[in-house]
């Protein structure tokens, strides 16, 4: 192997409605920027790609237990 590591991409979804339920003063129409802070480790690498807002199909958020 050329490297002892492998890049494994994952999808994360954060429903904006969850923020509104938690903080009633949150107004998603006033959202202008999202800041991601990765400060819990001394070294490492984070790969972030294709960040955006979209309307998710509700079936995507259903938990499979």
């Amino acid at each position: 192997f050329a490297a002892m590591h492998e890049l494994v991409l994952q999808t994360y979804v954060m429903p904006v409605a969850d923020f509104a339920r938690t903080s009633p003063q949150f107004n998603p129409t006033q959202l202008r920027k999202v800041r991601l802070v990765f400060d819990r480790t001394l070294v490492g690498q984070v790969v972030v790609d294709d960040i955006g807002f979209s309307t998710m199909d509700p079936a995507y958020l259903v938990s499979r237990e």
Side-chain angles (χ1 to χ4, degrees):
F1 297 103
M4 295 302 293
H5 62 276
E6 177 181 357
L7 181 63
V8 179
L9 301 177
Q10 298 179 9
T11 299
Y12 291 91
V13 176
M14 292 183 280
V16 175
D18 289 356
F19 291 94
R21 272 194 298 279
T22 303
S23 299
Q25 70 275 14
F26 174 74
N27 182 350
T29 63
Q30 294 181 340
L31 187 62
R32 297 291 176 257
K33 122 172 104 167
V34 174
R35 192 175 105 189
L36 304 174
V37 178
F38 302 97
D39 62 355
R40 302 263 174 139
T41 184
L42 297 177
V43 296
Q45 190 174 56
V46 176
V47 178
V48 179
D49 190 22
D50 293 329
I51 295 176
F53 292 89
S54 66
T55 303
M56 300 296 297
D57 182 329
Y60 186 81
L61 301 174
V62 173
S63 176
R64 294 183 189 175
E65 293 182 22

PDB file of all heavy atoms in Angstrom, residues 6-45:
ATOM      1  N   GLU A   6      -6.803   5.603   4.691  1.00  0.00           N
ATOM      2  CA  GLU A   6      -7.748   5.644   3.580  1.00  0.00           C
ATOM      3  C   GLU A   6      -8.773   6.745   3.859  1.00  0.00           C
ATOM      4  O   GLU A   6      -9.279   6.863   4.972  1.00  0.00           O
ATOM      5  CB  GLU A   6      -8.463   4.292   3.465  1.00  0.00           C
ATOM      6  CG  GLU A   6      -9.511   4.245   2.400  1.00  0.00           C
ATOM      7  CD  GLU A   6     -10.210   2.891   2.345  1.00  0.00           C
ATOM      8  OE1 GLU A   6      -9.836   1.980   3.109  1.00  0.00           O
ATOM      9  OE2 GLU A   6     -11.142   2.757   1.548  1.00  0.00           O
ATOM     10  N   LEU A   7      -9.058   7.546   2.866  1.00  0.00           N
ATOM     11  CA  LEU A   7     -10.058   8.594   2.980  1.00  0.00           C
ATOM     12  C   LEU A   7     -11.443   7.954   2.867  1.00  0.00           C
ATOM     13  O   LEU A   7     -11.752   7.290   1.882  1.00  0.00           O
ATOM     14  CB  LEU A   7      -9.862   9.623   1.869  1.00  0.00           C
ATOM     15  CG  LEU A   7     -10.799  10.802   1.850  1.00  0.00           C
ATOM     16  CD1 LEU A   7     -10.635  11.647   3.112  1.00  0.00           C
ATOM     17  CD2 LEU A   7     -10.534  11.656   0.622  1.00  0.00           C
ATOM     18  N   VAL A   8     -12.261   8.114   3.898  1.00  0.00           N
ATOM     19  CA  VAL A   8     -13.610   7.557   3.913  1.00  0.00           C
ATOM     20  C   VAL A   8     -14.588   8.721   4.031  1.00  0.00           C
ATOM     21  O   VAL A   8     -14.674   9.374   5.070  1.00  0.00           O
ATOM     22  CB  VAL A   8     -13.813   6.572   5.086  1.00  0.00           C
ATOM     23  CG1 VAL A   8     -15.240   6.036   5.092  1.00  0.00           C
ATOM     24  CG2 VAL A   8     -12.804   5.443   5.004  1.00  0.00           C
ATOM     25  N   LEU A   9     -15.301   9.008   2.962  1.00  0.00           N
ATOM     26  CA  LEU A   9     -16.240  10.122   2.952  1.00  0.00           C
ATOM     27  C   LEU A   9     -17.560   9.710   3.575  1.00  0.00           C
ATOM     28  O   LEU A   9     -18.009   8.574   3.405  1.00  0.00           O
ATOM     29  CB  LEU A   9     -16.453  10.607   1.517  1.00  0.00           C
ATOM     30  CG  LEU A   9     -15.191  11.072   0.793  1.00  0.00           C
ATOM     31  CD1 LEU A   9     -15.521  11.463  -0.642  1.00  0.00           C
ATOM     32  CD2 LEU A   9     -14.546  12.230   1.518  1.00  0.00           C
ATOM     33  N   GLN A  10     -18.187  10.625   4.286  1.00  0.00           N
ATOM     34  CA  GLN A  10     -19.475  10.372   4.926  1.00  0.00           C
ATOM     35  C   GLN A  10     -20.384  11.567   4.696  1.00  0.00           C
ATOM     36  O   GLN A  10     -19.909  12.674   4.456  1.00  0.00           O
ATOM     37  CB  GLN A  10     -19.306  10.140   6.420  1.00  0.00           C
ATOM     38  CG  GLN A  10     -18.455   8.939   6.745  1.00  0.00           C
ATOM     39  CD  GLN A  10     -18.285   8.756   8.253  1.00  0.00           C
ATOM     40  OE1 GLN A  10     -18.933   9.417   9.047  1.00  0.00           O
ATOM     41  NE2 GLN A  10     -17.432   7.843   8.634  1.00  0.00           N
ATOM     42  N   THR A  11     -21.677  11.326   4.792  1.00  0.00           N
ATOM     43  CA  THR A  11     -22.656  12.397   4.663  1.00  0.00           C
ATOM     44  C   THR A  11     -23.255  12.688   6.024  1.00  0.00           C
ATOM     45  O   THR A  11     -23.645  11.760   6.743  1.00  0.00           O
ATOM     46  CB  THR A  11     -23.780  11.990   3.690  1.00  0.00           C
ATOM     47  OG1 THR A  11     -23.201  11.755   2.408  1.00  0.00           O
ATOM     48  CG2 THR A  11     -24.837  13.067   3.581  1.00  0.00           C
ATOM     49  N   TYR A  12     -23.305  13.947   6.379  1.00  0.00           N
ATOM     50  CA  TYR A  12     -23.924  14.378   7.626  1.00  0.00           C
ATOM     51  C   TYR A  12     -25.040  15.348   7.284  1.00  0.00           C
ATOM     52  O   TYR A  12     -24.869  16.224   6.446  1.00  0.00           O
ATOM     53  CB  TYR A  12     -22.917  15.059   8.559  1.00  0.00           C
ATOM     54  CG  TYR A  12     -21.897  14.108   9.100  1.00  0.00           C
ATOM     55  CD1 TYR A  12     -20.694  13.901   8.444  1.00  0.00           C
ATOM     56  CD2 TYR A  12     -22.149  13.396  10.263  1.00  0.00           C
ATOM     57  CE1 TYR A  12     -19.751  13.010   8.930  1.00  0.00           C
ATOM     58  CE2 TYR A  12     -21.219  12.505  10.765  1.00  0.00           C
ATOM     59  CZ  TYR A  12     -20.024  12.318  10.090  1.00  0.00           C
ATOM     60  OH  TYR A  12     -19.100  11.441  10.586  1.00  0.00           O
ATOM     61  N   VAL A  13     -26.163  15.191   7.958  1.00  0.00           N
ATOM     62  CA  VAL A  13     -27.313  16.065   7.744  1.00  0.00           C
ATOM     63  C   VAL A  13     -27.680  16.683   9.083  1.00  0.00           C
ATOM     64  O   VAL A  13     -27.799  15.975  10.085  1.00  0.00           O
ATOM     65  CB  VAL A  13     -28.512  15.267   7.184  1.00  0.00           C
ATOM     66  CG1 VAL A  13     -29.729  16.153   7.059  1.00  0.00           C
ATOM     67  CG2 VAL A  13     -28.158  14.639   5.852  1.00  0.00           C
ATOM     68  N   MET A  14     -27.832  17.984   9.106  1.00  0.00           N
ATOM     69  CA  MET A  14     -28.266  18.689  10.309  1.00  0.00           C
ATOM     70  C   MET A  14     -29.542  19.450   9.963  1.00  0.00           C
ATOM     71  O   MET A  14     -29.471  20.529   9.368  1.00  0.00           O
ATOM     72  CB  MET A  14     -27.182  19.656  10.781  1.00  0.00           C
ATOM     73  CG  MET A  14     -25.959  18.944  11.284  1.00  0.00           C
ATOM     74  SD  MET A  14     -24.711  20.069  11.930  1.00  0.00           S
ATOM     75  CE  MET A  14     -23.956  20.630  10.416  1.00  0.00           C
ATOM     76  N   PRO A  15     -30.697  18.891  10.281  1.00  0.00           N
ATOM     77  CA  PRO A  15     -31.960  19.566   9.950  1.00  0.00           C
ATOM     78  C   PRO A  15     -32.079  20.915  10.652  1.00  0.00           C
ATOM     79  O   PRO A  15     -31.942  21.014  11.868  1.00  0.00           O
ATOM     80  CB  PRO A  15     -33.032  18.598  10.445  1.00  0.00           C
ATOM     81  CG  PRO A  15     -32.347  17.267  10.502  1.00  0.00           C
ATOM     82  CD  PRO A  15     -30.922  17.574  10.871  1.00  0.00           C
ATOM     83  N   VAL A  16     -32.303  21.962   9.882  1.00  0.00           N
ATOM     84  CA  VAL A  16     -32.423  23.314  10.426  1.00  0.00           C
ATOM     85  C   VAL A  16     -33.596  23.384  11.407  1.00  0.00           C
ATOM     86  O   VAL A  16     -33.550  24.111  12.392  1.00  0.00           O
ATOM     87  CB  VAL A  16     -32.573  24.337   9.281  1.00  0.00           C
ATOM     88  CG1 VAL A  16     -32.833  25.729   9.823  1.00  0.00           C
ATOM     89  CG2 VAL A  16     -31.321  24.329   8.422  1.00  0.00           C
ATOM     90  N   ALA A  17     -34.637  22.605  11.175  1.00  0.00           N
ATOM     91  CA  ALA A  17     -35.801  22.594  12.066  1.00  0.00           C
ATOM     92  C   ALA A  17     -35.400  22.188  13.491  1.00  0.00           C
ATOM     93  O   ALA A  17     -36.005  22.655  14.453  1.00  0.00           O
ATOM     94  CB  ALA A  17     -36.870  21.653  11.531  1.00  0.00           C
ATOM     95  N   ASP A  18     -34.392  21.350  13.632  1.00  0.00           N
ATOM     96  CA  ASP A  18     -33.928  20.956  14.968  1.00  0.00           C
ATOM     97  C   ASP A  18     -33.387  22.164  15.740  1.00  0.00           C
ATOM     98  O   ASP A  18     -33.600  22.292  16.934  1.00  0.00           O
ATOM     99  CB  ASP A  18     -32.849  19.887  14.881  1.00  0.00           C
ATOM    100  CG  ASP A  18     -33.398  18.535  14.440  1.00  0.00           C
ATOM    101  OD1 ASP A  18     -34.630  18.409  14.265  1.00  0.00           O
ATOM    102  OD2 ASP A  18     -32.579  17.616  14.244  1.00  0.00           O
ATOM    103  N   PHE A  19     -32.687  23.051  15.057  1.00  0.00           N
ATOM    104  CA  PHE A  19     -32.171  24.259  15.710  1.00  0.00           C
ATOM    105  C   PHE A  19     -33.323  25.160  16.131  1.00  0.00           C
ATOM    106  O   PHE A  19     -33.304  25.747  17.203  1.00  0.00           O
ATOM    107  CB  PHE A  19     -31.229  25.017  14.769  1.00  0.00           C
ATOM    108  CG  PHE A  19     -29.944  24.298  14.504  1.00  0.00           C
ATOM    109  CD1 PHE A  19     -29.796  23.487  13.394  1.00  0.00           C
ATOM    110  CD2 PHE A  19     -28.876  24.437  15.370  1.00  0.00           C
ATOM    111  CE1 PHE A  19     -28.605  22.823  13.153  1.00  0.00           C
ATOM    112  CE2 PHE A  19     -27.676  23.783  15.139  1.00  0.00           C
ATOM    113  CZ  PHE A  19     -27.543  22.965  14.025  1.00  0.00           C
ATOM    114  N   ALA A  20     -34.330  25.273  15.280  1.00  0.00           N
ATOM    115  CA  ALA A  20     -35.481  26.122  15.594  1.00  0.00           C
ATOM    116  C   ALA A  20     -36.258  25.575  16.792  1.00  0.00           C
ATOM    117  O   ALA A  20     -36.755  26.337  17.612  1.00  0.00           O
ATOM    118  CB  ALA A  20     -36.388  26.243  14.377  1.00  0.00           C
ATOM    119  N   ARG A  21     -36.364  24.257  16.903  1.00  0.00           N
ATOM    120  CA  ARG A  21     -37.059  23.660  18.057  1.00  0.00           C
ATOM    121  C   ARG A  21     -36.286  23.901  19.350  1.00  0.00           C
ATOM    122  O   ARG A  21     -36.862  24.125  20.397  1.00  0.00           O
ATOM    123  CB  ARG A  21     -37.273  22.168  17.842  1.00  0.00           C
ATOM    124  CG  ARG A  21     -38.544  21.826  17.122  1.00  0.00           C
ATOM    125  CD  ARG A  21     -38.874  20.351  17.229  1.00  0.00           C
ATOM    126  NE  ARG A  21     -37.864  19.488  16.613  1.00  0.00           N
ATOM    127  CZ  ARG A  21     -37.786  19.231  15.313  1.00  0.00           C
ATOM    128  NH1 ARG A  21     -38.642  19.780  14.487  1.00  0.00           N
ATOM    129  NH2 ARG A  21     -36.860  18.433  14.839  1.00  0.00           N
ATOM    130  N   THR A  22     -34.975  23.842  19.277  1.00  0.00           N
ATOM    131  CA  THR A  22     -34.132  24.019  20.453  1.00  0.00           C
ATOM    132  C   THR A  22     -34.075  25.482  20.902  1.00  0.00           C
ATOM    133  O   THR A  22     -34.085  25.770  22.090  1.00  0.00           O
ATOM    134  CB  THR A  22     -32.702  23.516  20.161  1.00  0.00           C
ATOM    135  OG1 THR A  22     -32.780  22.159  19.762  1.00  0.00           O
ATOM    136  CG2 THR A  22     -31.821  23.626  21.374  1.00  0.00           C
ATOM    137  N   SER A  23     -34.002  26.391  19.944  1.00  0.00           N
ATOM    138  CA  SER A  23     -33.913  27.821  20.241  1.00  0.00           C
ATOM    139  C   SER A  23     -34.984  28.557  19.448  1.00  0.00           C
ATOM    140  O   SER A  23     -34.781  28.872  18.269  1.00  0.00           O
ATOM    141  CB  SER A  23     -32.538  28.367  19.850  1.00  0.00           C
ATOM    142  OG  SER A  23     -31.527  27.722  20.574  1.00  0.00           O
ATOM    143  N   PRO A  24     -36.124  28.839  20.062  1.00  0.00           N
ATOM    144  CA  PRO A  24     -37.223  29.496  19.336  1.00  0.00           C
ATOM    145  C   PRO A  24     -36.832  30.837  18.699  1.00  0.00           C
ATOM    146  O   PRO A  24     -37.431  31.233  17.708  1.00  0.00           O
ATOM    147  CB  PRO A  24     -38.286  29.702  20.410  1.00  0.00           C
ATOM    148  CG  PRO A  24     -37.992  28.663  21.437  1.00  0.00           C
ATOM    149  CD  PRO A  24     -36.489  28.511  21.425  1.00  0.00           C
ATOM    150  N   GLN A  25     -35.804  31.504  19.227  1.00  0.00           N
ATOM    151  CA  GLN A  25     -35.378  32.776  18.644  1.00  0.00           C
ATOM    152  C   GLN A  25     -34.574  32.581  17.351  1.00  0.00           C
ATOM    153  O   GLN A  25     -34.319  33.534  16.629  1.00  0.00           O
ATOM    154  CB  GLN A  25     -34.587  33.625  19.648  1.00  0.00           C
ATOM    155  CG  GLN A  25     -33.219  33.087  19.999  1.00  0.00           C
ATOM    156  CD  GLN A  25     -33.225  32.060  21.112  1.00  0.00           C
ATOM    157  OE1 GLN A  25     -34.254  31.526  21.499  1.00  0.00           O
ATOM    158  NE2 GLN A  25     -32.049  31.757  21.634  1.00  0.00           N
ATOM    159  N   PHE A  26     -34.176  31.350  17.057  1.00  0.00           N
ATOM    160  CA  PHE A  26     -33.427  31.062  15.827  1.00  0.00           C
ATOM    161  C   PHE A  26     -34.329  31.263  14.614  1.00  0.00           C
ATOM    162  O   PHE A  26     -35.411  30.716  14.530  1.00  0.00           O
ATOM    163  CB  PHE A  26     -32.893  29.626  15.851  1.00  0.00           C
ATOM    164  CG  PHE A  26     -32.241  29.203  14.572  1.00  0.00           C
ATOM    165  CD1 PHE A  26     -30.985  29.680  14.240  1.00  0.00           C
ATOM    166  CD2 PHE A  26     -32.877  28.336  13.712  1.00  0.00           C
ATOM    167  CE1 PHE A  26     -30.377  29.285  13.059  1.00  0.00           C
ATOM    168  CE2 PHE A  26     -32.278  27.941  12.535  1.00  0.00           C
ATOM    169  CZ  PHE A  26     -31.021  28.417  12.205  1.00  0.00           C
ATOM    170  N   ASN A  27     -33.865  32.059  13.674  1.00  0.00           N
ATOM    171  CA  ASN A  27     -34.624  32.324  12.455  1.00  0.00           C
ATOM    172  C   ASN A  27     -33.779  31.888  11.262  1.00  0.00           C
ATOM    173  O   ASN A  27     -32.821  32.578  10.895  1.00  0.00           O
ATOM    174  CB  ASN A  27     -34.966  33.811  12.360  1.00  0.00           C
ATOM    175  CG  ASN A  27     -35.795  34.135  11.146  1.00  0.00           C
ATOM    176  OD1 ASN A  27     -35.987  33.304  10.265  1.00  0.00           O
ATOM    177  ND2 ASN A  27     -36.294  35.349  11.087  1.00  0.00           N
ATOM    178  N   PRO A  28     -34.095  30.759  10.639  1.00  0.00           N
ATOM    179  CA  PRO A  28     -33.255  30.250   9.550  1.00  0.00           C
ATOM    180  C   PRO A  28     -33.188  31.187   8.344  1.00  0.00           C
ATOM    181  O   PRO A  28     -32.225  31.127   7.588  1.00  0.00           O
ATOM    182  CB  PRO A  28     -33.898  28.915   9.184  1.00  0.00           C
ATOM    183  CG  PRO A  28     -35.257  28.954   9.753  1.00  0.00           C
ATOM    184  CD  PRO A  28     -35.221  29.886  10.928  1.00  0.00           C
ATOM    185  N   THR A  29     -34.150  32.072   8.178  1.00  0.00           N
ATOM    186  CA  THR A  29     -34.100  32.990   7.039  1.00  0.00           C
ATOM    187  C   THR A  29     -33.021  34.056   7.220  1.00  0.00           C
ATOM    188  O   THR A  29     -32.638  34.717   6.262  1.00  0.00           O
ATOM    189  CB  THR A  29     -35.464  33.675   6.813  1.00  0.00           C
ATOM    190  OG1 THR A  29     -35.782  34.472   7.955  1.00  0.00           O
ATOM    191  CG2 THR A  29     -36.555  32.656   6.577  1.00  0.00           C
ATOM    192  N   GLN A  30     -32.520  34.208   8.449  1.00  0.00           N
ATOM    193  CA  GLN A  30     -31.456  35.177   8.706  1.00  0.00           C
ATOM    194  C   GLN A  30     -30.064  34.541   8.725  1.00  0.00           C
ATOM    195  O   GLN A  30     -29.070  35.219   8.951  1.00  0.00           O
ATOM    196  CB  GLN A  30     -31.715  35.898  10.027  1.00  0.00           C
ATOM    197  CG  GLN A  30     -32.955  36.759   9.985  1.00  0.00           C
ATOM    198  CD  GLN A  30     -33.190  37.484  11.297  1.00  0.00           C
ATOM    199  OE1 GLN A  30     -32.676  37.094  12.337  1.00  0.00           O
ATOM    200  NE2 GLN A  30     -33.980  38.540  11.241  1.00  0.00           N
ATOM    201  N   LEU A  31     -29.997  33.257   8.481  1.00  0.00           N
ATOM    202  CA  LEU A  31     -28.722  32.541   8.470  1.00  0.00           C
ATOM    203  C   LEU A  31     -27.886  32.993   7.277  1.00  0.00           C
ATOM    204  O   LEU A  31     -28.332  32.935   6.138  1.00  0.00           O
ATOM    205  CB  LEU A  31     -28.987  31.030   8.393  1.00  0.00           C
ATOM    206  CG  LEU A  31     -27.807  30.107   8.543  1.00  0.00           C
ATOM    207  CD1 LEU A  31     -27.167  30.283   9.916  1.00  0.00           C
ATOM    208  CD2 LEU A  31     -28.238  28.667   8.363  1.00  0.00           C
ATOM    209  N   ARG A  32     -26.686  33.484   7.533  1.00  0.00           N
ATOM    210  CA  ARG A  32     -25.815  33.997   6.479  1.00  0.00           C
ATOM    211  C   ARG A  32     -24.512  33.209   6.354  1.00  0.00           C
ATOM    212  O   ARG A  32     -23.865  33.239   5.331  1.00  0.00           O
ATOM    213  CB  ARG A  32     -25.471  35.469   6.727  1.00  0.00           C
ATOM    214  CG  ARG A  32     -26.669  36.376   6.705  1.00  0.00           C
ATOM    215  CD  ARG A  32     -27.244  36.478   5.302  1.00  0.00           C
ATOM    216  NE  ARG A  32     -28.445  37.280   5.276  1.00  0.00           N
ATOM    217  CZ  ARG A  32     -29.675  36.789   5.194  1.00  0.00           C
ATOM    218  NH1 ARG A  32     -29.880  35.520   5.113  1.00  0.00           N
ATOM    219  NH2 ARG A  32     -30.722  37.589   5.179  1.00  0.00           N
ATOM    220  N   LYS A  33     -24.114  32.547   7.432  1.00  0.00           N
ATOM    221  CA  LYS A  33     -22.839  31.837   7.377  1.00  0.00           C
ATOM    222  C   LYS A  33     -22.860  30.682   8.367  1.00  0.00           C
ATOM    223  O   LYS A  33     -23.524  30.730   9.395  1.00  0.00           O
ATOM    224  CB  LYS A  33     -21.718  32.829   7.600  1.00  0.00           C
ATOM    225  CG  LYS A  33     -20.808  32.593   8.733  1.00  0.00           C
ATOM    226  CD  LYS A  33     -19.635  33.550   8.718  1.00  0.00           C
ATOM    227  CE  LYS A  33     -19.822  34.622   9.754  1.00  0.00           C
ATOM    228  NZ  LYS A  33     -18.608  35.400  10.012  1.00  0.00           N
ATOM    229  N   VAL A  34     -22.137  29.642   8.027  1.00  0.00           N
ATOM    230  CA  VAL A  34     -21.959  28.480   8.896  1.00  0.00           C
ATOM    231  C   VAL A  34     -20.463  28.314   9.100  1.00  0.00           C
ATOM    232  O   VAL A  34     -19.694  28.327   8.138  1.00  0.00           O
ATOM    233  CB  VAL A  34     -22.552  27.196   8.262  1.00  0.00           C
ATOM    234  CG1 VAL A  34     -22.225  25.984   9.108  1.00  0.00           C
ATOM    235  CG2 VAL A  34     -24.050  27.339   8.082  1.00  0.00           C
ATOM    236  N   ARG A  35     -20.054  28.206  10.347  1.00  0.00           N
ATOM    237  CA  ARG A  35     -18.638  28.049  10.665  1.00  0.00           C
ATOM    238  C   ARG A  35     -18.425  26.693  11.306  1.00  0.00           C
ATOM    239  O   ARG A  35     -19.080  26.357  12.294  1.00  0.00           O
ATOM    240  CB  ARG A  35     -18.204  29.164  11.608  1.00  0.00           C
ATOM    241  CG  ARG A  35     -16.725  29.260  11.764  1.00  0.00           C
ATOM    242  CD  ARG A  35     -16.379  30.454  12.597  1.00  0.00           C
ATOM    243  NE  ARG A  35     -15.998  29.918  13.905  1.00  0.00           N
ATOM    244  CZ  ARG A  35     -15.779  30.653  14.967  1.00  0.00           C
ATOM    245  NH1 ARG A  35     -15.957  31.945  14.915  1.00  0.00           N
ATOM    246  NH2 ARG A  35     -15.405  30.102  16.090  1.00  0.00           N
ATOM    247  N   LEU A  36     -17.527  25.908  10.762  1.00  0.00           N
ATOM    248  CA  LEU A  36     -17.182  24.607  11.320  1.00  0.00           C
ATOM    249  C   LEU A  36     -15.879  24.751  12.088  1.00  0.00           C
ATOM    250  O   LEU A  36     -14.884  25.239  11.552  1.00  0.00           O
ATOM    251  CB  LEU A  36     -17.024  23.567  10.203  1.00  0.00           C
ATOM    252  CG  LEU A  36     -18.234  23.400   9.290  1.00  0.00           C
ATOM    253  CD1 LEU A  36     -17.901  22.447   8.151  1.00  0.00           C
ATOM    254  CD2 LEU A  36     -19.437  22.910  10.065  1.00  0.00           C
ATOM    255  N   VAL A  37     -15.873  24.316  13.335  1.00  0.00           N
ATOM    256  CA  VAL A  37     -14.683  24.434  14.182  1.00  0.00           C
ATOM    257  C   VAL A  37     -14.250  23.025  14.588  1.00  0.00           C
ATOM    258  O   VAL A  37     -15.020  22.281  15.189  1.00  0.00           O
ATOM    259  CB  VAL A  37     -14.979  25.286  15.447  1.00  0.00           C
ATOM    260  CG1 VAL A  37     -13.754  25.353  16.336  1.00  0.00           C
ATOM    261  CG2 VAL A  37     -15.455  26.668  15.047  1.00  0.00           C
ATOM    262  N   PHE A  38     -13.044  22.678  14.235  1.00  0.00           N
ATOM    263  CA  PHE A  38     -12.479  21.376  14.593  1.00  0.00           C
ATOM    264  C   PHE A  38     -11.305  21.645  15.529  1.00  0.00           C
ATOM    265  O   PHE A  38     -10.173  21.811  15.097  1.00  0.00           O
ATOM    266  CB  PHE A  38     -11.999  20.630  13.335  1.00  0.00           C
ATOM    267  CG  PHE A  38     -13.086  20.415  12.329  1.00  0.00           C
ATOM    268  CD1 PHE A  38     -13.249  21.263  11.253  1.00  0.00           C
ATOM    269  CD2 PHE A  38     -13.969  19.357  12.466  1.00  0.00           C
ATOM    270  CE1 PHE A  38     -14.252  21.069  10.317  1.00  0.00           C
ATOM    271  CE2 PHE A  38     -14.980  19.144  11.552  1.00  0.00           C
ATOM    272  CZ  PHE A  38     -15.120  20.001  10.472  1.00  0.00           C
ATOM    273  N   ASP A  39     -11.586  21.725  16.819  1.00  0.00           N
ATOM    274  CA  ASP A  39     -10.544  22.102  17.774  1.00  0.00           C
ATOM    275  C   ASP A  39     -10.408  21.118  18.932  1.00  0.00           C
ATOM    276  O   ASP A  39      -9.924  21.467  19.986  1.00  0.00           O
ATOM    277  CB  ASP A  39     -10.804  23.508  18.314  1.00  0.00           C
ATOM    278  CG  ASP A  39     -12.121  23.607  19.078  1.00  0.00           C
ATOM    279  OD1 ASP A  39     -12.883  22.616  19.109  1.00  0.00           O
ATOM    280  OD2 ASP A  39     -12.386  24.677  19.653  1.00  0.00           O
ATOM    281  N   ARG A  40     -10.812  19.894  18.713  1.00  0.00           N
ATOM    282  CA  ARG A  40     -10.760  18.927  19.814  1.00  0.00           C
ATOM    283  C   ARG A  40      -9.602  17.940  19.704  1.00  0.00           C
ATOM    284  O   ARG A  40      -9.530  16.979  20.434  1.00  0.00           O
ATOM    285  CB  ARG A  40     -12.079  18.136  19.858  1.00  0.00           C
ATOM    286  CG  ARG A  40     -13.298  19.007  20.035  1.00  0.00           C
ATOM    287  CD  ARG A  40     -13.678  19.035  21.466  1.00  0.00           C
ATOM    288  NE  ARG A  40     -14.767  19.971  21.670  1.00  0.00           N
ATOM    289  CZ  ARG A  40     -15.776  19.739  22.450  1.00  0.00           C
ATOM    290  NH1 ARG A  40     -15.866  18.609  23.094  1.00  0.00           N
ATOM    291  NH2 ARG A  40     -16.707  20.649  22.619  1.00  0.00           N
ATOM    292  N   THR A  41      -8.721  18.168  18.769  1.00  0.00           N
ATOM    293  CA  THR A  41      -7.569  17.291  18.624  1.00  0.00           C
ATOM    294  C   THR A  41      -6.333  18.125  18.303  1.00  0.00           C
ATOM    295  O   THR A  41      -6.436  19.205  17.724  1.00  0.00           O
ATOM    296  CB  THR A  41      -7.815  16.227  17.524  1.00  0.00           C
ATOM    297  OG1 THR A  41      -6.713  15.334  17.487  1.00  0.00           O
ATOM    298  CG2 THR A  41      -8.010  16.861  16.173  1.00  0.00           C
ATOM    299  N   LEU A  42      -5.165  17.641  18.697  1.00  0.00           N
ATOM    300  CA  LEU A  42      -3.930  18.386  18.483  1.00  0.00           C
ATOM    301  C   LEU A  42      -3.462  18.328  17.037  1.00  0.00           C
ATOM    302  O   LEU A  42      -2.933  19.293  16.504  1.00  0.00           O
ATOM    303  CB  LEU A  42      -2.835  17.863  19.407  1.00  0.00           C
ATOM    304  CG  LEU A  42      -3.105  18.027  20.910  1.00  0.00           C
ATOM    305  CD1 LEU A  42      -1.986  17.402  21.723  1.00  0.00           C
ATOM    306  CD2 LEU A  42      -3.250  19.499  21.254  1.00  0.00           C
ATOM    307  N   VAL A  43      -3.599  17.177  16.415  1.00  0.00           N
ATOM    308  CA  VAL A  43      -3.149  17.016  15.026  1.00  0.00           C
ATOM    309  C   VAL A  43      -4.171  16.209  14.255  1.00  0.00           C
ATOM    310  O   VAL A  43      -5.015  15.524  14.822  1.00  0.00           O
ATOM    311  CB  VAL A  43      -1.783  16.299  14.948  1.00  0.00           C
ATOM    312  CG1 VAL A  43      -0.703  17.118  15.606  1.00  0.00           C
ATOM    313  CG2 VAL A  43      -1.857  14.916  15.539  1.00  0.00           C
ATOM    314  N   GLY A  44      -4.078  16.278  12.962  1.00  0.00           N
ATOM    315  CA  GLY A  44      -4.962  15.487  12.121  1.00  0.00           C
ATOM    316  C   GLY A  44      -5.380  16.258  10.892  1.00  0.00           C
ATOM    317  O   GLY A  44      -4.884  17.363  10.625  1.00  0.00           O
ATOM    318  N   GLN A  45      -6.295  15.683  10.186  1.00  0.00           N
ATOM    319  CA  GLN A  45      -6.737  16.289   8.950  1.00  0.00           C
ATOM    320  C   GLN A  45      -8.227  16.059   8.780  1.00  0.00           C
ATOM    321  O   GLN A  45      -8.721  14.962   9.038  1.00  0.00           O
ATOM    322  CB  GLN A  45      -5.970  15.655   7.784  1.00  0.00           C
ATOM    323  CG  GLN A  45      -6.152  16.334   6.466  1.00  0.00           C
ATOM    324  CD  GLN A  45      -5.245  15.715   5.430  1.00  0.00           C
ATOM    325  OE1 GLN A  45      -5.296  14.516   5.214  1.00  0.00           O
ATOM    326  NE2 GLN A  45      -4.404  16.523   4.810  1.00  0.00           N
TER     327      GLN A  45
END
